């Protein structure tokens, strides 16, 4: 698990000691099978609260297998993401992060659930709301904050910014600013996977706003025509910038928009449902070609830091979702109801996360800005001894390594 | 094989062997130049120095007397004894493509009608049968998404060649080319390479109408991170195609609709042209004429007339549209002190405009006269044949411009 390194081994074992304290379980979560003895690897089967809705395919079962270890990892990862995004908010207001900053808090379950269902060999490509996906794919907090503040130590050497996180070795292809442009790229990733026959899939994420882009339908046609192992995931947070989905789309049933491409609607605030759906989608894509997943999710912040987020929706709506559907709270309740950890232990975890995030920020703040020569690096790739000289060479040619 | 590729590092584009019999010898029209002074050696664009000899054996030049139509080799009498093989430009492109696909299994082609149909200009004919549908991919008519698809595949390590059936159609994919193709290497801090080749025919054809006669090199030239090259002969078409495929940078290869049937004898052995080099077509002394693609032939036609009138133009096919080969161009400017640019782009914002600015910035002190740039008119290309002719630079205009420049 990408974020496992954050958990020190000693605190892990504390959390997983068998706990027989009776804690009240909330009735809203149906947990037909629970285990009082919290063994790391014991399988828990939990039913998701919202069933899947399928289009042109059989919905997977809403009983999801998980383990205590996995649930605690979910909690830790999502809490880290939540804390990181809130910290980014403060940094933006302190003008340490500039330009555009699109925050993912509220949608953490989509990133974490997806990661749990796949391997690092599968590819993920997303749009600009990519901080948490980068973290889930193996990025460190330091790399994230350095890149956000434009420092040399950032994931893209400070030259990309908030919208351009990439991690090639972990199969994370970014990080793209133009709405919808990542979808054909993602289909290209799937094409390459089919070309090299390596049994992996590509998850192509986009939002409800991008779902109206023509290139998406072009890409869908191409993917379906050649049975590419692509999974198109619509992270439907119901608002495309400032326009609600019902004002932008004639048919907001995004999972059905593929027509001949099967689709599945998933409760995107439930990490276990997301995990189940992604697992199902991966199996489907490898056999039958593309599938669309619509994650019904929500973002607490506005579209970006320049958007207050309250001019097109009511504060009541935001706080209502936060109370009833918050992904981190759901996992917390699950963990507590299955006696996997005490309230205090979870609070300690959160404190630890907060400390780690603060440390990463402090370190990133001290880190150096990119060297001026970095302006000209990475414009072209050098190689083959070709003389790639700029237009202002006069007498001397340089043979590049 | 190693010997040929060593040439890359040493900045030569051309065949290493000195037996340049594979090139046409040009003798007839030079007789009038016997009075010319030849006090310094000619620096060829391959870096080697050819001392002028009284015998005036001009090597490595090619004079196509007619701008477009296929002409048999003028010294065809001894074809059988010449090394190399004769082919048409589109066949040369195909040969280059095939050799690279044989060499590297990551190379694949995608575009409209490239597979079963064989390519609308027959560049990919026969390749689908040989390599299969996945490597020579027929895409639906969706430029934006298949260009994006090629770029996404390139991010993982494939080397796609994306064909636009006509360069003008790639305007639909401009976002993908500009933002994703050109910039990803930079915005990812060097993590991703995009070794794509985007190629296709462009330029003004024979009454194809405004939308099918566009010159996209002017639109793409400011995209950072891409390289642009324009081929003009079968020799450099094959060489540039191979170099573009092997390059780790995204390269846009501009072909011209009217040049596909040019015939030339090219070497049998493998060779590559350098992507950043210009080609010295005809060394001279009085004026430097910079051109590329089809206009090269109009220039050479005008050169014939000019030579008869006593001028000695130096003709350089710039080939590399981004970055400009200012080394070759600069050497030429320093020699002749007069520059004429002949291009097919529009007057406003074309390659000629950028080249004028680049030369003025760098070689202003060496110029005896302002740079003259002959470009197409700033109008949509009309359908009527006579009007179409007037939008594009014709040899007579080139002759007039040189005469005026050399006064």
């Amino acid at each position: 698990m990408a974020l496992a390194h954050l958990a020190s081994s000693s605190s892990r074992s504390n959390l997983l000691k068998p706990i027989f304290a009776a804690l009240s379980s909330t009735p809203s979560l149906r947990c037909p099978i629970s285990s009082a003895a919290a063994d790391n690897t014991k399988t828990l089967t939990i039913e998701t609260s919202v069933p899947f809705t399928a289009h042109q395919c059989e919905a997977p079962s809403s009983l999801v297998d998980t383990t205590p270890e996995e649930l605690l990892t979910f909690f830790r990862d999502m809490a880290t993401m939540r804390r990181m995004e809130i910290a980014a908010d403060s940094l933006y207001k302190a003008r340490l992060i500039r330009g555009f900053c699109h925050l993912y808090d509220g949608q953490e379950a989509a990133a974490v659930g997806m990661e749990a269902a796949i391997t690092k060999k599968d590819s993920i490509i997303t749009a600009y709301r990519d901080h948490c996906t980068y973290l889930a794919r193996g990025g460190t907090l330091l790399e994230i904050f350095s890149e956000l503040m434009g420092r040399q130590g950032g994931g893209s050497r400070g030259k990309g910014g908030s919208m351009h996180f990439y991690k090639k070795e972990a199969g994370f292809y970014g990080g793209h600013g133009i709405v919808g442009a990542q979808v054909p790229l993602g289909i290209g990733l799937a094409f390459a996977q089919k070309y090299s026959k390596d049994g992996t899939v590509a998850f192509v994420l986009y939002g409800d706003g991008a779902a109206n882009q023509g290139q998406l339908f072009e890409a869908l046609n191409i993917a379906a025509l050649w049975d590419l192992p692509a999974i198109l995931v619509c992270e439907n947070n119901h608002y495309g910038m400032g326009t609600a989905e019902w004002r932008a789309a004639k048919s907001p049933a995004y999972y059905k928009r593929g027509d001949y491409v099967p689709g599945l609607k998933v409760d995107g605030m439930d990490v276990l449902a997301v995990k189940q759906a992604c697992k199902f989608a991966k199996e489907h894509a490898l056999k039958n070609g593309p599938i669309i997943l619509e994650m019904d999710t929500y973002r607490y912040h506005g579209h970006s830091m320049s958007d207050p987020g309250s001019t097109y929706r009511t504060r009541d709506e935001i706080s209502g979702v936060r109370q009833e559907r918050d992904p981190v709270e759901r996992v917390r309740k699950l963990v507590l109801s299955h006696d996997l950890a005490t309230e205090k232990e979870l609070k300690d975890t959160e404190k630890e996360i907060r400390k780690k995030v603060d440390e990463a920020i402090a370190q990133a703040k001290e880190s150096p800005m990119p060297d001026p020569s970095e302006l000209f690096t990475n414009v072209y790739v050098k190689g083959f001894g070709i003389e790639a000289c700029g237009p202002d060479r006069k007498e001397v040619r340089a043979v590049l390594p | 094989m190693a010997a040929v590729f060593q040439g890359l590092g040493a900045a030569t584009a051309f065949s290493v062997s000195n037996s340049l019999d594979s090139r046409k010898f040009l003798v007839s029209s030079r007789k009038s130049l016997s009075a010319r002074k030849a006090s310094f050696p000619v620096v060829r664009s391959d870096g080697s120095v050819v001392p002028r000899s009284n015998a005036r054996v001009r090597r490595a030049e090619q004079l196509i007397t007619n701008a477009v139509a296929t002409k048999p080799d003028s010294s065809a009498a001894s074809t059988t004894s010449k090394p190399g093989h004769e082919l048409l430009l589109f066949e040369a492109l195909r040969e280059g493509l095939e050799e690279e696909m044989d060499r590297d299994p990551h190379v694949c082609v995608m575009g409209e009608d490239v597979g079963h149909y064989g390519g609308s200009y027959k560049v990919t004919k026969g390749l689908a049968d040989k390599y299969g549908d996945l490597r020579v991919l027929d895409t639906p008519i969706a430029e934006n998404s298949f260009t994006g698809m090629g770029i996404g595949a390139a991010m993982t390590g494939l080397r796609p060649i994306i064909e636009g059936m006509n360069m003008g159609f790639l305007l639909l994919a401009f976002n993908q080319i500009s933002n994703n193709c050109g910039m990803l290497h930079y915005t990812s801090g060097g993590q991703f390479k995009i070794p794509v080749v985007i190629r296709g025919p462009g330029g003004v054809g024979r009454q194809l109408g405004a939308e099918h006669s566009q010159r996209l090199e002017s639109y793409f030239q400011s995209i950072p991170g891409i390289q642009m090259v324009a081929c003009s002969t079968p020799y450099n078409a094959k060489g540039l195609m191979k170099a573009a495929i092997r390059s780790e940078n995204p390269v846009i290869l501009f072909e011209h609709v009217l040049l596909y049937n040019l015939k030339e004898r090219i070497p049998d052995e493998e060779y590559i042209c350098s992507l950043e080099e210009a080609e010295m077509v005809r060394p001279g002394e009085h004026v430097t004429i910079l051109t590329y693609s089809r206009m090269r032939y109009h220039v050479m036609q005008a050169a014939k007339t000019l030579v008869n009138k006593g001028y000695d133009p130096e003709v350089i096919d710039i080939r590399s549209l981004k970055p400009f080969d200012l080394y070759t161009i600069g050497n030429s400017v320093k020699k002749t002190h007069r520059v004429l640019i002949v291009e097919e782009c529009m007057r406003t914002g074309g390659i000629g405009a950028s080249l004028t600015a680049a030369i003025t910035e760098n070689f202003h002190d060496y110029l005896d006269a302002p740079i003259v740039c002959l470009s197409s008119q700033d109008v949509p290309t009309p359908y009527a044949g006579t009007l179409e002719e007037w939008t594009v630079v014709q040899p007579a205009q080139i002759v007039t411009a040189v005469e005026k420049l050399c006064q």
Side-chain angles (χ1 to χ4, degrees), chain A residues 166 168 195 218 226 378 380-381 384 386-387 391 393 395 397, chain B residues 11 105 138 145 149 185 187 191 226 246 249 276 325-327 334:
Chain A
Y166 306 90
K168 185 170 189 191
Y195 193 99
E218 292 179 17
W226 299 325
N378 303 130
Y380 291 109
V381 180
F384 295 108
I386 283 178
E387 299 170 358
R393 62 183 167 149
E395 296 283 343
R397 289 171 165 184
Chain B
D138 277 324
S145 48
M149 186 178 96
H185 187 63
T187 55
Q191 286 182 67
I226 57 160
R246 293 193 196 188
N249 295 313
E276 296 90 12
D325 180 5
L326 285 182
Y327 183 75
K334 288 174 189 173

mmCIF file of all heavy atoms in Angstrom, chain A residues 166 168 195 218 226 378 380-381 384 386-387 391 393 395 397, chain B residues 11 105 138 145 149 185 187 191 226 246 249 276 325-327 334:
data_model
loop_
_atom_site.group_PDB
_atom_site.id
_atom_site.type_symbol
_atom_site.label_atom_id
_atom_site.label_comp_id
_atom_site.label_asym_id
_atom_site.label_seq_id
_atom_site.Cartn_x
_atom_site.Cartn_y
_atom_site.Cartn_z
ATOM 1 N N TYR A 166 3.027 13.684 -12.043
ATOM 2 C CA TYR A 166 3.180 12.440 -12.812
ATOM 3 C C TYR A 166 4.100 11.520 -12.047
ATOM 4 O O TYR A 166 5.001 11.969 -11.355
ATOM 5 C CB TYR A 166 3.834 12.712 -14.178
ATOM 6 C CG TYR A 166 3.138 13.758 -15.007
ATOM 7 C CD1 TYR A 166 3.499 15.084 -14.900
ATOM 8 C CD2 TYR A 166 2.129 13.409 -15.896
ATOM 9 C CE1 TYR A 166 2.868 16.047 -15.649
ATOM 10 C CE2 TYR A 166 1.501 14.368 -16.661
ATOM 11 C CZ TYR A 166 1.869 15.690 -16.526
ATOM 12 O OH TYR A 166 1.251 16.641 -17.276
ATOM 13 N N LYS A 168 5.888 8.141 -13.386
ATOM 14 C CA LYS A 168 5.950 7.131 -14.439
ATOM 15 C C LYS A 168 6.125 5.738 -13.871
ATOM 16 O O LYS A 168 5.472 4.803 -14.306
ATOM 17 C CB LYS A 168 7.109 7.468 -15.369
ATOM 18 C CG LYS A 168 7.142 6.526 -16.530
ATOM 19 C CD LYS A 168 8.091 6.951 -17.587
ATOM 20 C CE LYS A 168 7.849 6.023 -18.782
ATOM 21 N NZ LYS A 168 8.831 6.131 -19.786
ATOM 22 N N TYR A 195 -1.225 -3.565 -26.987
ATOM 23 C CA TYR A 195 -0.123 -3.803 -27.935
ATOM 24 C C TYR A 195 0.938 -4.677 -27.301
ATOM 25 O O TYR A 195 1.458 -5.593 -27.931
ATOM 26 C CB TYR A 195 0.466 -2.434 -28.301
ATOM 27 C CG TYR A 195 1.400 -2.385 -29.468
ATOM 28 C CD1 TYR A 195 0.943 -1.987 -30.715
ATOM 29 C CD2 TYR A 195 2.748 -2.667 -29.317
ATOM 30 C CE1 TYR A 195 1.812 -1.877 -31.781
ATOM 31 C CE2 TYR A 195 3.612 -2.567 -30.381
ATOM 32 C CZ TYR A 195 3.145 -2.165 -31.614
ATOM 33 O OH TYR A 195 4.005 -2.056 -32.667
ATOM 34 N N GLU A 218 -15.376 10.153 -28.932
ATOM 35 C CA GLU A 218 -14.471 9.617 -29.951
ATOM 36 C C GLU A 218 -13.630 8.511 -29.340
ATOM 37 O O GLU A 218 -13.439 7.439 -29.914
ATOM 38 C CB GLU A 218 -13.528 10.720 -30.458
ATOM 39 C CG GLU A 218 -14.187 11.817 -31.242
ATOM 40 C CD GLU A 218 -13.190 12.882 -31.683
ATOM 41 O OE1 GLU A 218 -11.974 12.622 -31.670
ATOM 42 O OE2 GLU A 218 -13.633 13.977 -32.057
ATOM 43 N N TRP A 226 -11.850 -1.542 -30.662
ATOM 44 C CA TRP A 226 -10.696 -2.425 -30.593
ATOM 45 C C TRP A 226 -10.584 -3.182 -29.272
ATOM 46 O O TRP A 226 -9.541 -3.769 -28.996
ATOM 47 C CB TRP A 226 -9.408 -1.615 -30.818
ATOM 48 C CG TRP A 226 -9.380 -0.954 -32.137
ATOM 49 C CD1 TRP A 226 -9.886 -1.435 -33.304
ATOM 50 C CD2 TRP A 226 -8.822 0.321 -32.438
ATOM 51 N NE1 TRP A 226 -9.666 -0.536 -34.317
ATOM 52 C CE2 TRP A 226 -9.006 0.546 -33.811
ATOM 53 C CE3 TRP A 226 -8.170 1.302 -31.694
ATOM 54 C CZ2 TRP A 226 -8.570 1.712 -34.455
ATOM 55 C CZ3 TRP A 226 -7.734 2.450 -32.325
ATOM 56 C CH2 TRP A 226 -7.935 2.644 -33.691
ATOM 57 N N ASN A 378 14.704 19.828 -20.295
ATOM 58 C CA ASN A 378 13.509 19.033 -20.572
ATOM 59 C C ASN A 378 12.572 19.614 -21.614
ATOM 60 O O ASN A 378 11.416 19.234 -21.696
ATOM 61 C CB ASN A 378 12.674 18.776 -19.305
ATOM 62 C CG ASN A 378 13.463 18.091 -18.235
ATOM 63 O OD1 ASN A 378 13.462 18.530 -17.107
ATOM 64 N ND2 ASN A 378 14.144 17.035 -18.590
ATOM 65 N N TYR A 380 13.479 19.526 -24.900
ATOM 66 C CA TYR A 380 13.667 18.400 -25.814
ATOM 67 C C TYR A 380 14.376 17.283 -25.078
ATOM 68 O O TYR A 380 15.037 17.506 -24.080
ATOM 69 C CB TYR A 380 14.542 18.813 -27.005
ATOM 70 C CG TYR A 380 13.887 19.784 -27.932
ATOM 71 C CD1 TYR A 380 14.302 21.098 -27.994
ATOM 72 C CD2 TYR A 380 12.844 19.381 -28.771
ATOM 73 C CE1 TYR A 380 13.704 21.995 -28.850
ATOM 74 C CE2 TYR A 380 12.247 20.266 -29.634
ATOM 75 C CZ TYR A 380 12.682 21.577 -29.670
ATOM 76 O OH TYR A 380 12.092 22.453 -30.517
ATOM 77 N N VAL A 381 14.250 16.095 -25.614
ATOM 78 C CA VAL A 381 15.021 14.978 -25.076
ATOM 79 C C VAL A 381 16.299 14.897 -25.872
ATOM 80 O O VAL A 381 16.282 14.967 -27.095
ATOM 81 C CB VAL A 381 14.261 13.654 -25.248
ATOM 82 C CG1 VAL A 381 15.058 12.507 -24.685
ATOM 83 C CG2 VAL A 381 12.917 13.740 -24.571
ATOM 84 N N PHE A 384 21.145 10.181 -29.041
ATOM 85 C CA PHE A 384 21.623 9.768 -30.357
ATOM 86 C C PHE A 384 22.715 10.658 -30.907
ATOM 87 O O PHE A 384 22.992 10.594 -32.089
ATOM 88 C CB PHE A 384 20.487 9.727 -31.392
ATOM 89 C CG PHE A 384 19.467 8.689 -31.060
ATOM 90 C CD1 PHE A 384 18.221 9.057 -30.595
ATOM 91 C CD2 PHE A 384 19.754 7.344 -31.184
ATOM 92 C CE1 PHE A 384 17.288 8.106 -30.272
ATOM 93 C CE2 PHE A 384 18.816 6.392 -30.855
ATOM 94 C CZ PHE A 384 17.574 6.773 -30.409
ATOM 95 N N ILE A 386 22.650 13.536 -31.647
ATOM 96 C CA ILE A 386 22.139 14.492 -32.625
ATOM 97 C C ILE A 386 22.445 15.885 -32.135
ATOM 98 O O ILE A 386 22.366 16.168 -30.959
ATOM 99 C CB ILE A 386 20.620 14.303 -32.800
ATOM 100 C CG1 ILE A 386 20.386 13.076 -33.664
ATOM 101 C CG2 ILE A 386 19.999 15.507 -33.457
ATOM 102 C CD1 ILE A 386 18.946 12.767 -33.865
ATOM 103 N N GLU A 387 22.786 16.729 -33.075
ATOM 104 C CA GLU A 387 23.073 18.089 -32.675
ATOM 105 C C GLU A 387 21.790 18.862 -32.628
ATOM 106 O O GLU A 387 21.314 19.369 -33.635
ATOM 107 C CB GLU A 387 24.028 18.735 -33.679
ATOM 108 C CG GLU A 387 25.325 17.964 -33.721
ATOM 109 C CD GLU A 387 26.179 18.416 -34.860
ATOM 110 O OE1 GLU A 387 25.736 19.289 -35.621
ATOM 111 O OE2 GLU A 387 27.264 17.853 -34.983
ATOM 112 N N PRO A 391 18.048 28.008 -32.062
ATOM 113 C CA PRO A 391 18.172 28.858 -33.244
ATOM 114 C C PRO A 391 19.228 29.937 -33.110
ATOM 115 O O PRO A 391 19.439 30.689 -34.038
ATOM 116 C CB PRO A 391 16.778 29.483 -33.380
ATOM 117 C CG PRO A 391 16.195 29.388 -32.033
ATOM 118 C CD PRO A 391 16.764 28.181 -31.399
ATOM 119 N N ARG A 393 22.509 29.401 -32.380
ATOM 120 C CA ARG A 393 23.903 28.976 -32.405
ATOM 121 C C ARG A 393 24.607 29.724 -33.524
ATOM 122 O O ARG A 393 24.047 29.961 -34.568
ATOM 123 C CB ARG A 393 24.013 27.475 -32.620
ATOM 124 C CG ARG A 393 23.447 27.046 -33.928
ATOM 125 C CD ARG A 393 23.500 25.562 -34.065
ATOM 126 N NE ARG A 393 22.660 25.207 -35.205
ATOM 127 C CZ ARG A 393 22.870 24.194 -35.988
ATOM 128 N NH1 ARG A 393 23.854 23.373 -35.748
ATOM 129 N NH2 ARG A 393 22.087 23.949 -37.001
ATOM 130 N N GLU A 395 28.713 29.881 -34.348
ATOM 131 C CA GLU A 395 29.801 29.183 -35.022
ATOM 132 C C GLU A 395 29.944 27.756 -34.539
ATOM 133 O O GLU A 395 30.269 26.858 -35.281
ATOM 134 C CB GLU A 395 31.126 29.910 -34.755
ATOM 135 C CG GLU A 395 31.184 31.306 -35.315
ATOM 136 C CD GLU A 395 31.409 31.287 -36.819
ATOM 137 O OE1 GLU A 395 31.829 30.243 -37.349
ATOM 138 O OE2 GLU A 395 31.168 32.316 -37.450
ATOM 139 N N ARG A 397 28.987 24.213 -32.985
ATOM 140 C CA ARG A 397 27.920 23.246 -32.770
ATOM 141 C C ARG A 397 28.259 22.435 -31.544
ATOM 142 O O ARG A 397 29.405 22.170 -31.279
ATOM 143 C CB ARG A 397 27.842 22.276 -33.939
ATOM 144 C CG ARG A 397 27.326 22.878 -35.182
ATOM 145 C CD ARG A 397 27.510 21.873 -36.269
ATOM 146 N NE ARG A 397 26.726 22.224 -37.427
ATOM 147 C CZ ARG A 397 26.650 21.475 -38.502
ATOM 148 N NH1 ARG A 397 27.282 20.344 -38.550
ATOM 149 N NH2 ARG A 397 25.927 21.844 -39.523
ATOM 150 N N ALA B 11 27.682 15.212 -37.467
ATOM 151 C CA ALA B 11 26.878 16.234 -38.118
ATOM 152 C C ALA B 11 26.738 16.067 -39.602
ATOM 153 O O ALA B 11 26.548 17.023 -40.313
ATOM 154 C CB ALA B 11 27.475 17.621 -37.853
ATOM 155 N N PRO B 105 10.168 -3.089 -32.810
ATOM 156 C CA PRO B 105 8.767 -3.504 -32.750
ATOM 157 C C PRO B 105 7.850 -2.503 -32.075
ATOM 158 O O PRO B 105 6.627 -2.656 -32.106
ATOM 159 C CB PRO B 105 8.821 -4.808 -31.943
ATOM 160 C CG PRO B 105 10.083 -4.750 -31.187
ATOM 161 C CD PRO B 105 11.035 -3.952 -32.005
ATOM 162 N N ASP B 138 -5.991 1.313 -38.571
ATOM 163 C CA ASP B 138 -6.987 2.159 -39.223
ATOM 164 C C ASP B 138 -7.835 2.814 -38.148
ATOM 165 O O ASP B 138 -8.541 2.124 -37.421
ATOM 166 C CB ASP B 138 -7.921 1.301 -40.091
ATOM 167 C CG ASP B 138 -7.338 1.019 -41.452
ATOM 168 O OD1 ASP B 138 -6.664 1.912 -41.992
ATOM 169 O OD2 ASP B 138 -7.560 -0.088 -41.961
ATOM 170 N N SER B 145 -8.980 12.532 -30.961
ATOM 171 C CA SER B 145 -8.760 11.409 -30.069
ATOM 172 C C SER B 145 -7.685 10.455 -30.554
ATOM 173 O O SER B 145 -6.959 9.922 -29.729
ATOM 174 C CB SER B 145 -10.046 10.641 -29.823
ATOM 175 O OG SER B 145 -10.687 10.386 -31.034
ATOM 176 N N MET B 149 -4.493 9.549 -28.534
ATOM 177 C CA MET B 149 -4.221 8.150 -28.267
ATOM 178 C C MET B 149 -2.769 7.828 -28.580
ATOM 179 O O MET B 149 -2.086 7.138 -27.818
ATOM 180 C CB MET B 149 -5.128 7.287 -29.127
ATOM 181 C CG MET B 149 -5.033 5.829 -28.823
ATOM 182 S SD MET B 149 -6.157 4.887 -29.827
ATOM 183 C CE MET B 149 -5.098 4.379 -31.128
ATOM 184 N N HIS B 185 6.892 16.566 -21.747
ATOM 185 C CA HIS B 185 8.243 16.262 -21.275
ATOM 186 C C HIS B 185 8.680 17.293 -20.247
ATOM 187 O O HIS B 185 9.351 16.988 -19.264
ATOM 188 C CB HIS B 185 9.193 16.220 -22.454
ATOM 189 C CG HIS B 185 10.560 15.765 -22.108
ATOM 190 N ND1 HIS B 185 10.849 14.513 -21.616
ATOM 191 C CD2 HIS B 185 11.743 16.404 -22.162
ATOM 192 C CE1 HIS B 185 12.132 14.399 -21.372
ATOM 193 N NE2 HIS B 185 12.713 15.526 -21.700
ATOM 194 N N THR B 187 6.516 19.521 -18.438
ATOM 195 C CA THR B 187 5.686 19.635 -17.243
ATOM 196 C C THR B 187 5.816 18.416 -16.340
ATOM 197 O O THR B 187 5.480 18.487 -15.166
ATOM 198 C CB THR B 187 4.196 19.833 -17.577
ATOM 199 O OG1 THR B 187 3.761 18.777 -18.421
ATOM 200 C CG2 THR B 187 3.965 21.145 -18.265
ATOM 201 N N GLN B 191 9.985 13.204 -16.964
ATOM 202 C CA GLN B 191 9.610 11.799 -16.749
ATOM 203 C C GLN B 191 9.132 11.121 -18.020
ATOM 204 O O GLN B 191 9.415 9.956 -18.247
ATOM 205 C CB GLN B 191 8.493 11.709 -15.694
ATOM 206 C CG GLN B 191 8.974 11.951 -14.286
ATOM 207 C CD GLN B 191 7.841 11.791 -13.297
ATOM 208 O OE1 GLN B 191 7.321 10.725 -13.103
ATOM 209 N NE2 GLN B 191 7.443 12.904 -12.682
ATOM 210 N N ILE B 226 8.460 20.653 -29.676
ATOM 211 C CA ILE B 226 8.360 19.812 -30.863
ATOM 212 C C ILE B 226 9.430 20.221 -31.860
ATOM 213 O O ILE B 226 9.961 21.320 -31.801
ATOM 214 C CB ILE B 226 6.991 19.937 -31.569
ATOM 215 C CG1 ILE B 226 6.706 21.386 -31.941
ATOM 216 C CG2 ILE B 226 5.883 19.390 -30.718
ATOM 217 C CD1 ILE B 226 5.670 21.525 -33.012
ATOM 218 N N ARG B 246 13.386 7.738 -35.083
ATOM 219 C CA ARG B 246 14.367 7.399 -34.053
ATOM 220 C C ARG B 246 14.513 8.486 -33.003
ATOM 221 O O ARG B 246 15.055 8.241 -31.933
ATOM 222 C CB ARG B 246 15.729 7.153 -34.697
ATOM 223 C CG ARG B 246 15.703 5.917 -35.540
ATOM 224 C CD ARG B 246 17.071 5.510 -35.916
ATOM 225 N NE ARG B 246 17.020 4.562 -37.010
ATOM 226 C CZ ARG B 246 18.073 3.907 -37.460
ATOM 227 N NH1 ARG B 246 19.235 4.111 -36.898
ATOM 228 N NH2 ARG B 246 17.960 3.066 -38.448
ATOM 229 N N ASN B 249 12.265 13.030 -29.446
ATOM 230 C CA ASN B 249 11.381 14.185 -29.357
ATOM 231 C C ASN B 249 10.200 14.012 -30.294
ATOM 232 O O ASN B 249 10.290 13.278 -31.267
ATOM 233 C CB ASN B 249 12.138 15.448 -29.793
ATOM 234 C CG ASN B 249 13.264 15.770 -28.866
ATOM 235 O OD1 ASN B 249 13.101 15.765 -27.661
ATOM 236 N ND2 ASN B 249 14.425 16.045 -29.426
ATOM 237 N N GLU B 276 18.138 18.429 -37.771
ATOM 238 C CA GLU B 276 18.330 19.856 -37.517
ATOM 239 C C GLU B 276 19.166 20.532 -38.593
ATOM 240 O O GLU B 276 19.579 21.667 -38.421
ATOM 241 C CB GLU B 276 19.015 20.056 -36.158
ATOM 242 C CG GLU B 276 18.213 19.586 -34.965
ATOM 243 C CD GLU B 276 18.484 18.140 -34.617
ATOM 244 O OE1 GLU B 276 19.448 17.577 -35.145
ATOM 245 O OE2 GLU B 276 17.731 17.563 -33.821
ATOM 246 N N ASP B 325 18.341 25.812 -38.938
ATOM 247 C CA ASP B 325 19.757 25.499 -38.974
ATOM 248 C C ASP B 325 20.529 26.790 -39.235
ATOM 249 O O ASP B 325 20.995 27.055 -40.348
ATOM 250 C CB ASP B 325 20.021 24.472 -40.074
ATOM 251 C CG ASP B 325 21.485 24.095 -40.173
ATOM 252 O OD1 ASP B 325 22.278 24.556 -39.336
ATOM 253 O OD2 ASP B 325 21.829 23.350 -41.102
ATOM 254 N N LEU B 326 20.663 27.602 -38.205
ATOM 255 C CA LEU B 326 21.279 28.913 -38.408
ATOM 256 C C LEU B 326 22.759 28.811 -38.687
ATOM 257 O O LEU B 326 23.376 29.777 -39.129
ATOM 258 C CB LEU B 326 21.016 29.823 -37.205
ATOM 259 C CG LEU B 326 19.590 30.350 -37.152
ATOM 260 C CD1 LEU B 326 19.400 31.272 -35.975
ATOM 261 C CD2 LEU B 326 19.238 31.106 -38.427
ATOM 262 N N TYR B 327 23.331 27.641 -38.447
ATOM 263 C CA TYR B 327 24.754 27.485 -38.765
ATOM 264 C C TYR B 327 24.953 27.538 -40.272
ATOM 265 O O TYR B 327 25.716 28.350 -40.790
ATOM 266 C CB TYR B 327 25.241 26.167 -38.187
ATOM 267 C CG TYR B 327 26.689 25.930 -38.384
ATOM 268 C CD1 TYR B 327 27.634 26.617 -37.620
ATOM 269 C CD2 TYR B 327 27.142 25.024 -39.321
ATOM 270 C CE1 TYR B 327 28.976 26.399 -37.802
ATOM 271 C CE2 TYR B 327 28.483 24.809 -39.503
ATOM 272 C CZ TYR B 327 29.404 25.494 -38.744
ATOM 273 O OH TYR B 327 30.728 25.274 -38.940
ATOM 274 N N LYS B 334 26.938 35.025 -44.500
ATOM 275 C CA LYS B 334 28.247 35.677 -44.383
ATOM 276 C C LYS B 334 28.977 35.695 -45.720
ATOM 277 O O LYS B 334 29.815 36.537 -45.964
ATOM 278 C CB LYS B 334 29.092 34.951 -43.346
ATOM 279 C CG LYS B 334 28.604 35.189 -41.942
ATOM 280 C CD LYS B 334 29.365 34.354 -40.935
ATOM 281 C CE LYS B 334 28.688 34.468 -39.577
ATOM 282 N NZ LYS B 334 29.271 33.576 -38.595
#
